[in-house]
Amino acid sequence: MARRILAAGNWKMNKTPSETTALINEMKPVVASDDVDVLLCVPAIDIPAAVEAAKGSNIQIGAENLYYEEKGAYTGEIAPDMLVDAGVTHVIIGHSERRGYFGETDEQVNKKIKKALEHGLVPVMCCGESLEQREQGVTMDWIRMQVKIGFQDLTADEAKKVIVAYEPIWAIGTGKTATSDQAEEVCKGIRDLLRELYGDDVAETTRVLYGGSVNPGNAAELFAKPDIDGGLVGGASLKTSFGEIVHYNK
Ligand code: 13P
């Protein structure tokens, strides 16, 4: 079965709850699609507004982070049950901004992925190299390490449920997209690693997204690549023109 394309937005820290309601209401008609899955990942405090506004539409709502404990004295953190109860289906894990600004490690990413899966949430695990690493020629070594540790101890059935997002750090928010060939090369490398670790079924089922300055002008070329199953979109998911990314093939 062919993998479905996923157009996923990562709103990062940009919208208030009332702005969320307004934007999702504007977004609903323009992202309606039978062919492409649509996901918007929003700040925790915006989740109730987002879930309510998205009701009856094809927009799924995701979180941008979770904590890997069930409950307890973890001031400021969000437990998986809280996300599930609020109507969230997906959760971004290990975004480079969380790794870079908040010190998240591959081991924490692994714990978060397991915890998300335990609660029926789909983890969207991010990985990506810095410009320095690309120039040093260690891109694929780095990505393989991030994915290998992120997936540590997952069964094949669990691994298939994870969505991997390849986001080169130098392409995030910079307007500098990886070329479709550069993006394809790494996304294929991730699929090859999944094949090594789990075999063909997991490699062919798992969705691998590209993220980093995806916009209505470059989505079609990126999503046409055989190993790119959609995009994780930052800035361009905060505007109704996100609909053009959803309808990239029209
Ligand atoms: P931009 O699309 O703004 O470059 O952000 C990409 C990203 O970090 C999505 O998670």
Side-chain angles (χ1 to χ4, degrees):
M1 210 179 79
R3 294 180 299 270
R4 277 173 72 86
I5 293 285
L6 170 63
N10 173 7
W11 278 11
K12 308 193 180 182
M13 195 180 74
N14 283 297
K15 297 285 171 192
T16 65
S18 44
E19 289 167 345
T20 297
T21 301
L23 182 52
I24 291 185
N25 281 329
E26 279 179 65
M27 205 81 106
K28 279 195 281 194
V30 294
V31 301
S33 167
D34 293 329
D35 312 319
V36 172
D37 292 336
V38 178
L39 169 68
L40 293 174
C41 298
V42 303
I45 197 154
D46 295 339
I47 287 170
V51 168
E52 182 59 32
K55 264 192 194 142
S57 77
N58 63 323
I59 303 174
Q60 293 187 286
I61 300 300
E64 298 178 10
N65 187 24
L66 90 175
Y67 195 55
Y68 51 75
E69 296 292 347
E70 295 293 333
K71 56 161 62 201
Y74 304 101
T75 303
E77 292 295 324
I78 312 279
D81 266 350
M82 298 172 187
L83 296 180
V84 171
D85 189 60
V88 155
T89 53
H90 295 63
V91 56
I92 296 175
I93 294 177
H95 191 279
S96 61
E97 287 147 18
R98 296 221 52 88
R99 294 175 187 261
Y101 301 137
F102 305 103
E104 266 188 34
T105 64
D106 290 321
E107 288 72 19
Q108 288 171 326
V109 167
N110 176 242
K111 285 185 181 175
K112 290 183 175 192
I113 289 176
K114 286 186 197 155
K115 194 46 85 173
L117 288 168
E118 234 176 74
H119 288 264
L121 292 163
V122 177
V124 180
M125 185 207 135
C126 301
C127 58
E129 82 288 3
S130 65
L131 187 56
E132 192 183 12
Q133 289 167 327
R134 178 157 283 268
E135 285 168 356
Q136 289 166 336
V138 299
T139 296
M140 211 54 234
D141 304 277
W142 179 257
I143 302 293
R144 284 177 63 93
M145 185 191 68
Q146 286 185 317
V147 175
K148 245 175 149 162
I149 301 175
F151 276 63
Q152 203 108 69
D153 302 324
L154 298 192
T155 64
D157 278 345
E158 289 170 332
K160 283 202 269 212
K161 294 181 184 142
V162 180
I163 296 170
V164 181
Y166 166 55
E167 300 205 309
I169 296 168
W170 48 271
I172 294 177
T174 56
K176 200 173 155 184
T177 327
T179 65
S180 55
D181 286 339
Q182 283 173 321
E184 166 63 15
E185 186 184 9
V186 178
C187 291
K188 177 176 185 304
I190 292 168
R191 203 174 299 290
D192 290 343
L193 171 62
L194 294 174
R195 198 181 314 278
E196 277 173 45
L197 296 173
Y198 295 102
D200 285 342
D201 184 29
V202 172
E204 295 308 322
T205 310
T206 303
R207 288 195 281 188
V208 182
L209 312 181
Y210 166 78
S213 300
V214 175
N215 62 49
N218 59 25
E221 188 182 336
L222 288 160
F223 298 178
K225 291 290 181 186
D227 290 293
I228 300 179
D229 306 316
L232 184 55
V233 185
S237 72
L238 291 162
K239 299 180 223 151
T240 48
S241 54
F242 183 59
E244 295 170 39
I245 297 178
V246 174
H247 297 290
Y248 70 98
N249 60 355
K250 295 275 152 67

